[in-house]
Amino acid sequence: MKQKNLLYTGKAKSVYRTDVKGQFIVEFRDDITAFDGGKKDVLKNKGSYNAEVSAFIFEYLEKHGVKTHFVEMLDPRRMVVRELGMIPLEVIVRNIAAGSIIRNYPFKEGTKLDPPVIVIDFKDDSRHDPMLNDDLVVALKLATPKELAEIKKIALKINTLLAKLLASQGITLVDFKMEFGRGGKTIYLGDEISMDSMRLWDKETGESLDKDVYRFNKGDVMATYNRVTARITKKPAAKAPAKKKGRTETGDGGSCKEGKGRGKESVG
Ligand code: 5GP
C-alpha cells in the first residue's frame, strides 16, 4: 500500500489517502494536547502506544461483533482504516463520575453511574465541542433518530465489552469517548480508543492510567502509557516499569482551574 496526500490533520493524528480505494492511513503522532490545545507537548513514542492499544481494542471489539474501521497496522504508528463518512459527534460513556461531569453537575467524584451515562458532544473545535441532546443532533442533521439509537446501542455494547477487558487487567473503565462514521448504510466505530480518549483507574490503587496524568501533572506520562499498554495488550512492558504514583489528594478533574464550563478546556 502506498501512502498518498495528507487529507486531514488533527491534534494527535493525521489521515492520509492511499492507493487503495476506500482505505486511508491514520498516523498516530507523538503530539499530546489538553485544555483545548492550551497545553501541548511532543512525547516520544506516545503515538505508537496509542496506536497499539487502539489496534488491540478494535480487534477485540471486532471479535465480539462490533464493526470498526480497523484494517491492519502498517508499522507501530500507522493504521490502515476503512474510509468512513465521519459523524461529528463525540460519544462519551461514563461508568463513574469524574472529569467534566463533576465540574458541571453535583456528582461526587467516584460515584458509580448505573446505568452508564451517555453524553454526546458536537465535535466542533471552534465552538469548544458543546454538549448536544437528541433533538439537537437531529435538528442539526448530524444523524437521523434511527442512527442515533443505533449509535447509543453500539456505544453501550462497546462499554460493556471494554469494561470487561480492562477489568481482567485490574483496570477500571471510568469513561471514554468514541467517534462513529458511516460506511454505506452501516455505522462503524472510527477514530481511536486509547489512553488519550479513555479515563482509566487502577482497580487497587485508584492511580490514573491515562491522559489525566498529563492534564494534571500526576507523574511520568510515558512511563504510565508504557505500563498501561503492556497491561491492556498483555505484553511485557517495553522499558523498565516506572515508579508507582498514587492519585493526588484532589486527584481529579474537579481541581481543574481552567474551569470554563464543559468546553474542551477540560479535556482534549
Ligand atoms: P470529560 O468530559 O470528563 O473531560 O471527558 C470524558 C472522557 O472523554 C475522558 O475519558 C476523555 O479522555 C474523553 N474525551 C472527551 N473529549 C475528548 C476529546 O476531545 N478528545 C479525546 N481524545 N478524548 C476526549
mmCIF file of all heavy atoms in Angstrom, residues 175-192:
data_model
loop_
_atom_site.group_PDB
_atom_site.id
_atom_site.type_symbol
_atom_site.label_atom_id
_atom_site.label_comp_id
_atom_site.label_asym_id
_atom_site.label_seq_id
_atom_site.Cartn_x
_atom_site.Cartn_y
_atom_site.Cartn_z
ATOM 1 N N ASP A 175 -14.564 6.306 32.123
ATOM 2 C CA ASP A 175 -15.339 6.843 30.995
ATOM 3 C C ASP A 175 -14.460 6.802 29.751
ATOM 4 O O ASP A 175 -13.248 6.565 29.843
ATOM 5 C CB ASP A 175 -15.842 8.271 31.275
ATOM 6 C CG ASP A 175 -14.713 9.227 31.648
ATOM 7 O OD1 ASP A 175 -13.643 9.170 31.016
ATOM 8 O OD2 ASP A 175 -14.901 10.031 32.581
ATOM 9 N N PHE A 176 -15.063 6.991 28.603
ATOM 10 C CA PHE A 176 -14.279 7.033 27.361
ATOM 11 C C PHE A 176 -15.103 7.671 26.263
ATOM 12 O O PHE A 176 -16.328 7.760 26.353
ATOM 13 C CB PHE A 176 -13.785 5.642 26.943
ATOM 14 C CG PHE A 176 -14.860 4.689 26.493
ATOM 15 C CD1 PHE A 176 -14.919 4.237 25.180
ATOM 16 C CD2 PHE A 176 -15.820 4.222 27.375
ATOM 17 C CE1 PHE A 176 -15.898 3.350 24.753
ATOM 18 C CE2 PHE A 176 -16.812 3.326 26.968
ATOM 19 C CZ PHE A 176 -16.844 2.893 25.660
ATOM 20 N N LYS A 177 -14.378 8.113 25.217
ATOM 21 C CA LYS A 177 -15.005 8.816 24.102
ATOM 22 C C LYS A 177 -14.871 8.013 22.812
ATOM 23 O O LYS A 177 -13.820 7.414 22.563
ATOM 24 C CB LYS A 177 -14.304 10.167 23.939
ATOM 25 C CG LYS A 177 -14.922 11.092 22.957
ATOM 26 C CD LYS A 177 -14.196 11.334 21.670
ATOM 27 C CE LYS A 177 -12.723 11.343 21.620
ATOM 28 N NZ LYS A 177 -12.170 11.517 20.268
ATOM 29 N N MET A 178 -15.953 7.990 22.052
ATOM 30 C CA MET A 178 -15.917 7.287 20.756
ATOM 31 C C MET A 178 -16.381 8.229 19.649
ATOM 32 O O MET A 178 -17.135 9.156 19.904
ATOM 33 C CB MET A 178 -16.910 6.111 20.762
ATOM 34 C CG MET A 178 -16.482 4.935 21.561
ATOM 35 S SD MET A 178 -17.931 3.949 22.038
ATOM 36 C CE MET A 178 -18.566 4.900 23.384
ATOM 37 N N GLU A 179 -15.942 7.915 18.430
ATOM 38 C CA GLU A 179 -16.464 8.617 17.256
ATOM 39 C C GLU A 179 -16.902 7.567 16.246
ATOM 40 O O GLU A 179 -16.254 6.523 16.109
ATOM 41 C CB GLU A 179 -15.403 9.546 16.667
ATOM 42 C CG GLU A 179 -15.070 10.673 17.653
ATOM 43 C CD GLU A 179 -14.034 11.651 17.134
ATOM 44 O OE1 GLU A 179 -13.898 11.796 15.906
ATOM 45 O OE2 GLU A 179 -13.355 12.272 17.969
ATOM 46 N N PHE A 180 -18.005 7.849 15.572
ATOM 47 C CA PHE A 180 -18.572 6.883 14.633
ATOM 48 C C PHE A 180 -18.642 7.484 13.230
ATOM 49 O O PHE A 180 -18.624 8.710 13.059
ATOM 50 C CB PHE A 180 -19.981 6.485 15.082
ATOM 51 C CG PHE A 180 -20.000 5.699 16.374
ATOM 52 C CD1 PHE A 180 -20.135 6.341 17.600
ATOM 53 C CD2 PHE A 180 -19.849 4.317 16.364
ATOM 54 C CE1 PHE A 180 -20.131 5.619 18.797
ATOM 55 C CE2 PHE A 180 -19.844 3.589 17.547
ATOM 56 C CZ PHE A 180 -19.988 4.243 18.766
ATOM 57 N N GLY A 181 -18.740 6.597 12.237
ATOM 58 C CA GLY A 181 -18.873 7.058 10.859
ATOM 59 C C GLY A 181 -19.726 6.092 10.063
ATOM 60 O O GLY A 181 -20.014 4.977 10.501
ATOM 61 N N ARG A 182 -20.130 6.562 8.889
ATOM 62 C CA ARG A 182 -20.966 5.740 8.014
ATOM 63 C C ARG A 182 -20.095 5.103 6.934
ATOM 64 O O ARG A 182 -19.286 5.783 6.306
ATOM 65 C CB ARG A 182 -22.030 6.594 7.316
ATOM 66 C CG ARG A 182 -22.939 7.322 8.273
ATOM 67 C CD ARG A 182 -23.942 8.196 7.507
ATOM 68 N NE ARG A 182 -24.751 8.969 8.435
ATOM 69 C CZ ARG A 182 -24.491 10.215 8.814
ATOM 70 N NH1 ARG A 182 -23.440 10.855 8.322
ATOM 71 N NH2 ARG A 182 -25.277 10.829 9.673
ATOM 72 N N GLY A 183 -20.310 3.811 6.725
ATOM 73 C CA GLY A 183 -19.699 3.094 5.602
ATOM 74 C C GLY A 183 -20.869 2.455 4.876
ATOM 75 O O GLY A 183 -21.413 1.482 5.356
ATOM 76 N N GLY A 184 -21.314 3.080 3.792
ATOM 77 C CA GLY A 184 -22.597 2.677 3.197
ATOM 78 C C GLY A 184 -23.691 2.990 4.209
ATOM 79 O O GLY A 184 -23.721 4.084 4.776
ATOM 80 N N LYS A 185 -24.524 1.987 4.484
ATOM 81 C CA LYS A 185 -25.618 2.237 5.438
ATOM 82 C C LYS A 185 -25.254 1.771 6.840
ATOM 83 O O LYS A 185 -26.073 1.813 7.755
ATOM 84 C CB LYS A 185 -26.879 1.505 4.953
ATOM 85 C CG LYS A 185 -27.481 2.147 3.719
ATOM 86 C CD LYS A 185 -28.956 1.787 3.579
ATOM 87 C CE LYS A 185 -29.615 2.619 2.504
ATOM 88 N NZ LYS A 185 -29.886 1.882 1.273
ATOM 89 N N THR A 186 -24.021 1.301 6.978
ATOM 90 C CA THR A 186 -23.622 0.725 8.273
ATOM 91 C C THR A 186 -22.869 1.750 9.118
ATOM 92 O O THR A 186 -22.080 2.538 8.599
ATOM 93 C CB THR A 186 -22.710 -0.508 8.016
ATOM 94 O OG1 THR A 186 -23.428 -1.382 7.137
ATOM 95 C CG2 THR A 186 -22.373 -1.242 9.292
ATOM 96 N N ILE A 187 -23.122 1.708 10.425
ATOM 97 C CA ILE A 187 -22.386 2.574 11.352
ATOM 98 C C ILE A 187 -21.160 1.804 11.852
ATOM 99 O O ILE A 187 -21.280 0.665 12.331
ATOM 100 C CB ILE A 187 -23.277 2.942 12.576
ATOM 101 C CG1 ILE A 187 -24.556 3.654 12.157
ATOM 102 C CG2 ILE A 187 -22.473 3.747 13.613
ATOM 103 C CD1 ILE A 187 -24.410 5.102 11.775
ATOM 104 N N TYR A 188 -20.009 2.421 11.727
ATOM 105 C CA TYR A 188 -18.739 1.825 12.187
ATOM 106 C C TYR A 188 -18.147 2.676 13.310
ATOM 107 O O TYR A 188 -18.295 3.906 13.303
ATOM 108 C CB TYR A 188 -17.701 1.815 11.057
ATOM 109 C CG TYR A 188 -17.961 0.806 9.970
ATOM 110 C CD1 TYR A 188 -18.875 1.090 8.957
ATOM 111 C CD2 TYR A 188 -17.280 -0.405 9.935
ATOM 112 C CE1 TYR A 188 -19.111 0.176 7.939
ATOM 113 C CE2 TYR A 188 -17.507 -1.320 8.916
ATOM 114 C CZ TYR A 188 -18.422 -1.030 7.934
ATOM 115 O OH TYR A 188 -18.655 -1.926 6.919
ATOM 116 N N LEU A 189 -17.436 2.019 14.218
ATOM 117 C CA LEU A 189 -16.629 2.746 15.200
ATOM 118 C C LEU A 189 -15.375 3.241 14.482
ATOM 119 O O LEU A 189 -14.691 2.452 13.810
ATOM 120 C CB LEU A 189 -16.246 1.804 16.354
ATOM 121 C CG LEU A 189 -15.276 2.382 17.383
ATOM 122 C CD1 LEU A 189 -15.901 3.542 18.151
ATOM 123 C CD2 LEU A 189 -14.818 1.289 18.364
ATOM 124 N N GLY A 190 -15.070 4.538 14.601
ATOM 125 C CA GLY A 190 -13.889 5.096 13.942
ATOM 126 C C GLY A 190 -12.896 5.638 14.951
ATOM 127 O O GLY A 190 -12.875 5.218 16.113
ATOM 128 N N ASP A 191 -12.066 6.572 14.494
ATOM 129 C CA ASP A 191 -11.117 7.298 15.348
ATOM 130 C C ASP A 191 -10.212 6.339 16.120
ATOM 131 O O ASP A 191 -9.587 5.469 15.529
ATOM 132 C CB ASP A 191 -11.894 8.243 16.268
ATOM 133 C CG ASP A 191 -11.021 9.277 16.940
ATOM 134 O OD1 ASP A 191 -10.300 9.987 16.223
ATOM 135 O OD2 ASP A 191 -11.048 9.373 18.177
ATOM 136 N N GLU A 192 -10.133 6.504 17.428
ATOM 137 C CA GLU A 192 -9.231 5.681 18.246
ATOM 138 C C GLU A 192 -9.888 5.396 19.589
ATOM 139 O O GLU A 192 -10.812 6.105 20.001
ATOM 140 C CB GLU A 192 -7.919 6.440 18.507
ATOM 141 C CG GLU A 192 -8.101 7.659 19.407
ATOM 142 C CD GLU A 192 -6.815 8.443 19.634
ATOM 143 O OE1 GLU A 192 -5.824 7.860 20.082
ATOM 144 O OE2 GLU A 192 -6.825 9.659 19.360
#
